[in-house]
């Protein structure tokens, strides 16, 4: 794929998935029922996976679907069902006027920061690597190999430390999820 | 498409922040944090085109940390639910002075 010469077909789908992602994210935040919110969040994640494919990150897109939309959201739905929180509570859980004002204020500040950044110094299309670096990597090593080579060469220490993190997380989840009576024994 | 990707990522991040600040259901707040992590991942992927493969590798690390965080956080939520019979933050204000 040529890097800078995006076709109309490409742009149309990029915008299409972006708009679906934003709409479903807004719907997700405003849903009262946790199950409905989780479903809309999954739609957002699938749209982001589509964007990853268009940004030449096919392996990341597959991981997005498998890990985020698959594993993590299933844990969320599992906990919602386990605690029987699926139905929306009759009293709203949205904060009062103070919380809404605070949220709007913070949101406006963040949007304004983005506006300032676009005016001053967003790194707009300056290639640090070669212009066709990514497509060349994909052509030479394949979608998985292009990610795996730096992962196991330059970032191998971080990769090993990740396994420690996962071990700690498993142990922590088991200990926290245990019933009180068994720890008293 | 770098500017569009970064803009989309910023909008999704702001939606996540607003969700964290306006909702009181602990599980939904947690899902908003996941949305913010997703927005940051989009930034990494979009910039990896211009700065090399490191961005995509880092997305993998973010996903791993997110999975660990989800496991531990949801265990904490289950533990809170056992004690209080609710996940509404209005009823979980032990630290309120």
């Amino acid at each position: 794929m040529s890097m800078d010469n995006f076709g109309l077909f490409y742009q149309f789908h990029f915008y299409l998935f972006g708009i679906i992602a934003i709409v479903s994210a807004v719907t997700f935040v405003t849903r009262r029922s946790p199950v409905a919110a989780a479903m809309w969040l999954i739609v957002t994640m699938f749209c982001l996976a589509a964007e990853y494919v268009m940004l030449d990150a096919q392996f990341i897109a597959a991981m997005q679907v498998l890990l985020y939309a698959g594993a993590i959201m299933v844990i969320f739905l599992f906990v919602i069902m386990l605690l029987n929180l699926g139905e929306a509570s009759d009293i709203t859980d949205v904060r009062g006027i103070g919380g809404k004002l605070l949220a709007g204020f913070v949101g406006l500040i963040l949007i304004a920061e983005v506006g300032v950044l676009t005016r001053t110094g967003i790194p707009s299309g300056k290639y640090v690597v070669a212009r066709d670096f990514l497509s060349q990597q994909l052509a030479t090593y394949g979608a998985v190999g292009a990610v795996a080579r730096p992962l196991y060469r330059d970032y191998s220490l971080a990769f090993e430390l990740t396994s420690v993190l996962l071990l700690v997380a498993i142990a922590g989840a088991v200990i926290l999820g245990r019933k009180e009576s068994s720890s008293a024994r | 498409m770098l500017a569009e990707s970064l803009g989309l990522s910023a909008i999704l991040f702001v939606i996540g922040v607003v969700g964290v600040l306006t909702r009181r259901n602990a599980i939904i707040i947690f899902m908003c944090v996941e949305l913010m992590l997703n927005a940051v991942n989009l930034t990494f992927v979009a910039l990896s085109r211009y700065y090399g493969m490191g961005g995509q590798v880092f997305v993998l690390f973010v996903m791993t940390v997110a999975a660990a965080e989800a496991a531990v956080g949801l265990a904490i939520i289950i533990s809170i639910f056992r004690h209080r019979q609710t996940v509404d933050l209005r009823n979980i204000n032990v630290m309120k002075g």
Side-chain angles (χ1 to χ4, degrees):
Chain A
M1 180 195 298
S2 64
M3 277 309 200
D4 282 320
N5 191 10
F6 299 109
L8 192 64
F9 184 76
Y10 178 96
Q11 286 193 6
F12 170 75
H13 283 93
F14 197 91
Y15 281 108
L16 178 71
F17 282 114
I19 289 168
I20 296 175
I22 292 172
V23 169
S24 56
V26 170
T27 323
F28 148 66
V29 168
T30 50
R31 282 315 90 181
R32 196 180 281 182
S33 152
V35 174
M39 289 302 166
W40 282 106
L41 185 55
I42 290 174
V43 174
T44 310
M45 285 169 174
F46 270 109
C47 291
L48 282 178
E51 303 276 30
Y52 292 162
V53 171
M54 280 186 258
L55 291 169
D56 287 337
Q58 287 88 354
F59 179 65
I60 302 295
M63 282 299 114
Q64 169 88 359
V65 172
L66 287 178
L67 258 176
Y68 260 119
I72 295 182
M73 291 316 290
V74 165
I75 303 181
F76 272 98
L77 283 174
F78 185 73
V79 168
I80 293 170
M81 306 271 174
L82 186 72
L83 303 184
N84 207 3
L85 302 168
E87 272 140 54
S89 57
D90 30 338
I91 46 166
T92 175
D93 72 323
V94 177
R95 280 181 204 271
I97 189 73
K100 277 180 187 161
L101 278 179
L102 176 68
F105 182 65
V106 172
L108 277 181
I109 285 184
L110 286 173
I111 293 280
E113 272 181 15
V114 173
V116 170
L117 273 178
T118 41
R119 276 172 188 279
T120 54
I122 210 157
S124 56
K126 261 198 185 167
Y127 289 89
V128 172
V129 292
R131 185 160 283 245
D132 56 348
F133 167 76
L134 214 53
S135 46
Q136 204 131 59
Q137 290 269 312
L138 289 176
T140 317
Y141 303 115
V144 180
V147 182
R149 278 173 64 86
L151 178 64
Y152 291 122
R153 288 182 168 191
D154 309 336
Y155 300 93
S156 53
L157 177 64
F159 180 76
E160 298 293 338
L161 288 177
T162 303
S163 58
V164 179
L165 172 77
L166 284 176
L167 181 67
V168 171
I170 294 168
V174 168
I175 289 172
L176 282 170
R178 203 167 48 174
K179 279 217 162 48
E180 281 298 311
S181 54
S182 59
S183 63
R185 241 177 268 154
Chain B
M1 304 305 274
L2 178 63
E4 288 88 344
S5 309
L6 295 184
L8 173 63
S9 155
I11 291 171
L12 288 179
F13 190 88
V14 169
I15 292 173
V17 169
V18 169
V20 167
L21 289 175
T22 50
R23 300 300 296 263
R24 284 203 189 94
N25 190 327
I27 290 184
I28 289 185
I29 289 178
F30 210 15
M31 287 196 276
C32 288
V33 174
E34 299 292 332
L35 180 64
M36 282 150 70
L37 288 173
N38 265 290
V40 174
N41 280 351
L42 181 60
T43 308
F44 276 128
V45 169
L47 284 173
S48 81
R49 229 180 195 176
Y50 298 87
Y51 288 85
M53 221 56 197
Q56 294 194 16
V57 174
F58 208 83
V59 168
L60 282 183
F61 289 131
V62 171
M63 282 179 180
T64 318
V65 172
E69 172 225 345
V72 174
L74 287 170
I76 290 175
I77 287 180
I78 290 178
S79 173
I80 288 174
F81 187 84
R82 279 220 190 93
H83 286 278
R84 301 254 166 174
Q85 308 304 321
T86 180
V87 290
D88 196 316
L89 293 189
R90 262 170 301 195
N91 305 317
I92 312 169
N93 49 4
V94 196
M95 301 279 279
K96 201 168 186 176

